[in-house]
Amino acid sequence: MVTLFKRILGPRIDADAFAPLYASVVARARLPHWYRDGAVPDTIDGRFDMVSTVLALLLLRLETLGEPARESSARVTELFISDMDGQLRQRGIGDLVVGKHVGRMMSQLGGRLTAYREGLAEGGDLAGAIDRNIHRGADVPVAARAHVEQGLRALVAALAARDLAQILTGEIA
């Protein structure tokens, strides 16, 4: 049975090979300007919102690259899951409920993928997606909202200008 899966899926690339890419996602999400100028709360939830947003934008770019990027998308998502699992455990969340928390986080990532895919589409409401997924409906100054939107659009443009090889080295912006 394992041989069948290997034949169907091809050789598996070690997830550690994607550590530089995931580290770039986290580094981009932790840039101080999001929190200072964009009014993203510098809290556990706010940092999760930014990491999952940057990851969602990366995954959307990988999606446009088709089959060659499929495994890369899966592996960087695995690193996100592993990171979130570790973060929860460090916060004292026990084995019995950590899976439920990670499941919720994956659901939130999926929601962000849909929200940003639609928000970035022609005529989409990216500002609304940001309001729901980053600012979570908080009363945020217009300049801060605009800062986050401009920053995310710049990241999308930077990702679009890079090919798969560049992205895999962690060069995402």
Side-chain angles (χ1 to χ4, degrees):
M1 186 61 94
V2 172
T3 304
L4 175 64
F5 282 123
K6 283 184 181 178
R7 262 200 344 246
I8 293 171
L9 299 174
R12 180 182 165 101
I13 301 170
D14 185 11
D16 290 342
F18 298 92
L21 176 55
Y22 185 69
S24 291
V25 167
V26 173
R28 174 73 38 195
R30 292 295 293 137
L31 289 173
H33 75 88
W34 299 118
Y35 307 91
R36 182 188 60 237
D37 304 326
V40 175
D42 195 4
T43 62
I44 291 170
D45 287 341
R47 291 186 296 269
F48 170 80
D49 291 340
M50 284 311 303
V51 170
S52 60
T53 292
V54 173
L55 179 60
L57 296 178
L58 169 68
L59 294 175
L60 290 174
R61 171 61 177 134
L62 292 175
E63 186 178 274
T64 68
L65 296 172
E67 183 62 35
R70 184 180 299 199
E71 183 161 359
S72 302
S73 183
R75 298 300 158 244
V76 75
T77 302
E78 286 176 3
L79 288 172
F80 172 73
I81 294 167
S82 177
D83 183 26
M84 294 303 107
D85 181 275
Q87 297 292 328
L88 289 168
R89 290 177 192 281
Q90 283 182 350
R91 288 182 31 210
I93 306 293
D95 288 341
L96 296 176
V97 294
V98 76
K100 289 181 184 179
H101 285 282
V102 170
R104 253 185 265 133
M105 290 174 169
M106 289 307 298
S107 177
Q108 289 173 333
L109 176 61
R112 282 170 174 80
L113 283 165
T114 299
Y116 295 129
R117 183 182 294 113
E118 292 171 358
L120 290 163
E122 184 75 29
D125 182 16
L126 182 59
I130 291 166
D131 185 50
R132 289 185 307 277
N133 292 288
I134 295 176
H135 292 124
R136 298 186 184 205
D139 188 21
V140 174
V142 172
R145 290 173 191 268
H147 178 83
V148 173
E149 183 172 356
Q150 289 166 356
L152 294 183
R153 287 189 185 279
L155 177 58
V156 168
L159 285 165
R162 284 158 178 74
D163 63 23
L164 182 58
Q166 291 170 309
I167 291 170
L168 293 179
T169 66
E171 189 180 319
I172 62 173

